[in-house]
Amino acid sequence: MEELVRKNIVNITPYIAGKPIEEIKRQWALKEIIKLASNENPLGPSLKAMEAIKKNLSKVNRYPDSLGFYLKKKLARYLNVKPANIVLGNGSDELIDIIIKTFVEDDENIITADTTFLEYEIISKVNGRRIITVPLRYFKYDLEAIKKKIGKKTKLIFIANPNNPTGTYVTKYEFEDFMRDLPANVLLVLDEAYDTFIDVDDFPAGLNYINNKNVIVLKTFSKAYGLAGLRIGYCLASQKLASYMEKARQPFNVNFLAHVAATAALDDKKFLRKTRKTILAGKDYLYDALSKLGIVYVPTVANFILIDVGRDGVSVFKEMLKYGVIVRDMDQYGLKNFIRVTIGTEKENERFIKVLKKVL
Ligand SMILES: *Cc1c(COP(=O)(O)O)cnc(C)c1O
């Protein structure tokens, strides 16, 4: 059969998602499970978003608004940009695909880090584009090394800032230094999926750079806004770049309930504050608890922590599963002795530490 399939597809290592929570419960006969594997919001979705969904359920017979009129208008006001600076997507995953389709020719290449969000590589390959991956340096994007890899055929660079799965970030100084030397015909995508959790002063907010003609910023409602299951994200770019991306997307790429929920969630400032507070307090607790156990971790500015478990991370992941705690092993990322844990509620964090202690 393989001869029927495009070579790009045959050669892809697929993204491995976890089994459904209900299935794991059944398999291990567990009463309660906590999932700290996908960096989701532990508080659930905002109440405002849920109310908006309920109120609009009876309208799903209609196609969604292709223009994203209300959501773009509200986002534009909130971010102090024009609606024409915004492109909406079925999660930022889809926007990564749209960006590649819009800007990267068949014979051009894409650069990113070797240990970062897996979708950059997978979606590049699905589209038959060559991707060059540059090793991290001390768990951080190595911008100097990336600079050296930029060639005549380079069109796009993906930087996850903060980076997933390491939680590290590129500083404002490093970013601006990198931008100074970036050729005008190379696009830089800053993926800011975790921007709500930043607690440092020298973070380069991508929004401030979208008037540069070659910067695109990716944002999502999946993490801090608690809407991962609805699939909605957006990107910010110059009006010119955004207009080309609009041409490349499908007309109804974002579903109606996602529009409605995201628009409502934007008004729920209280929920966002509470989410941030929960994560930052949870981070303090986990840092402290891990240090007391003598376990090494990578300091994070996101809602997850990369932890060095000192032995095969897959086996640690599997053993924790039996106690009803789902974390992420780092096998696919090439970090053998690590796990990544999403910061949860106070109770979840305590249970995670208890089980980790037992397993190690
Ligand atoms: C979670 C995550 C996203 C979000 O993807 P969606 O498709 O919007 O759910 C994007 N980028 C990174 C680096 C992430 O970790």
Side-chain angles (χ1 to χ4, degrees):
M1 287 300 271
E2 209 168 283
E3 63 278 8
L4 294 175
V5 184
R6 283 170 61 221
K7 283 199 187 53
N8 311 322
I9 305 297
V10 173
N11 295 331
I12 285 172
T13 318
Y15 181 88
I16 303 170
K19 278 187 203 165
I21 293 181
E22 293 310 319
E23 187 52 27
I24 294 173
K25 249 190 199 168
R26 197 191 55 77
Q27 191 179 359
W28 298 101
L30 294 161
K31 275 206 279 298
E32 210 196 322
I33 280 201
I34 59 171
K35 183 174 177 233
L36 303 172
S38 304
N39 307 335
E40 295 143 339
N41 191 324
L43 303 178
S46 100
L47 274 178
K48 284 196 166 149
M50 285 195 275
E51 277 162 21
I53 290 170
K54 276 187 214 153
K55 223 172 77 192
N56 284 282
L57 266 181
S58 66
K59 296 182 195 159
V60 295
N61 58 317
R62 304 286 177 201
Y63 280 99
D65 165 28
S66 173
L67 299 174
F69 183 81
Y70 296 107
L71 179 55
K72 280 190 187 177
K73 196 170 148 185
K74 187 167 273 184
L75 271 172
R77 202 172 53 207
Y78 174 62
L79 299 168
N80 198 20
V81 297
K82 295 274 188 294
N85 290 117
I86 303 168
V87 183
L88 303 175
N90 185 40
S92 22
D93 284 3
E94 192 205 15
L95 290 162
I96 293 167
D97 189 53
I98 293 173
I99 289 168
I100 293 171
K101 287 192 162 85
T102 306
F103 300 110
V104 188
E105 297 280 10
D106 285 355
D107 63 340
E108 292 177 325
N109 66 55
I110 297 164
I111 306 179
T112 192
D114 70 342
T115 310
T116 187
F117 194 46
L118 296 166
E119 287 302 303
Y120 307 142
E121 182 165 349
I122 295 171
I123 299 172
S124 295
K125 287 182 173 170
V126 170
N127 283 293
R129 300 299 185 267
R130 193 161 95 84
I131 182 148
I132 300 168
T133 56
V134 178
L136 298 181
R137 190 161 181 265
Y138 302 119
F139 297 101
K140 274 183 65 168
Y141 265 73
D142 186 349
L143 297 187
E144 287 301 317
I146 288 178
K147 218 185 264 181
K148 290 190 189 123
K149 292 284 184 189
I150 298 174
K152 280 200 181 64
K153 288 291 178 190
T154 301
K155 174 55 79 61
L156 198 64
I157 299 172
F158 282 108
I159 299 182
N161 206 30
N163 187 30
N164 176 8
T166 58
T168 55
Y169 69 103
V170 167
T171 67
K172 190 164 183 235
Y173 177 83
E174 291 162 344
F175 175 73
E176 290 187 349
D177 187 58
F178 182 72
M179 284 301 294
R180 253 192 301 280
D181 297 336
L182 188 71
N185 58 349
V186 177
L187 288 168
L188 180 65
V189 179
L190 280 176
D191 183 347
E192 297 185 345
Y194 301 98
D195 57 351
T196 309
F197 310 111
I198 302 291
D199 59 351
V200 290
D201 296 327
D202 58 348
F203 183 80
L207 180 60
N208 299 330
Y209 302 94
I210 60 163
N211 290 327
N212 279 39
K213 55 189 185 316
N214 54 348
V215 175
I216 300 174
V217 180
L218 276 180
K219 303 270 195 182
T220 182
F221 284 93
S222 294
K223 308 287 157 59
Y225 285 97
L227 299 177
L230 278 178
R231 314 303 303 127
I232 178 159
Y234 60 96
C235 74
L236 302 167
S238 70
Q239 297 191 24
K240 195 91 198 160
L241 290 184
S243 71
Y244 290 117
M245 292 174 65
E246 285 288 339
K247 284 192 189 186
R249 74 171 172 88
Q250 292 181 32
F252 304 112
N253 60 333
V254 177
N255 77 78
F256 172 62
L257 294 179
H259 276 278
V260 163
T263 307
L266 276 178
D267 284 333
D268 204 343
K269 300 265 158 44
K270 224 164 114 184
F271 176 75
L272 206 63
R273 269 199 303 273
K274 188 174 170 198
T275 297
R276 183 178 151 86
K277 218 173 127 187
T278 303
I279 298 307
L280 295 185
K283 179 160 84 168
D284 280 347
Y285 166 78
L286 288 170
Y287 276 7
D288 192 49
L290 290 168
S291 298
K292 277 183 184 140
L293 293 170
I295 297 170
V296 178
Y297 58 85
V298 179
T300 183
V301 293
N303 68 338
F304 54 83
I305 306 180
L306 185 66
I307 297 172
D308 184 348
V309 287
R311 64 178 174 95
D312 177 39
V314 176
S315 68
V316 173
F317 156 75
K318 283 184 179 156
E319 285 169 45
M320 293 192 80
L321 203 56
K322 291 180 203 168
Y323 293 102
V325 175
I326 314 176
V327 297
R328 191 83 149 82
D329 74 69
M330 292 284 105
D331 204 38
Q332 264 203 308
Y333 296 86
L335 296 166
K336 288 266 175 261
N337 288 353
F338 289 80
I339 57 169
R340 189 194 66 198
V341 64
T342 303
I343 302 170
T345 60
E346 195 178 337
K347 246 176 89 183
E348 289 173 334
N349 298 333
E350 283 167 5
R351 176 138 167 235
F352 162 75
I353 288 292
K354 216 165 106 186
V355 169
L356 184 68
K357 213 155 117 183
K358 214 177 304 193
V359 165
L360 293 183

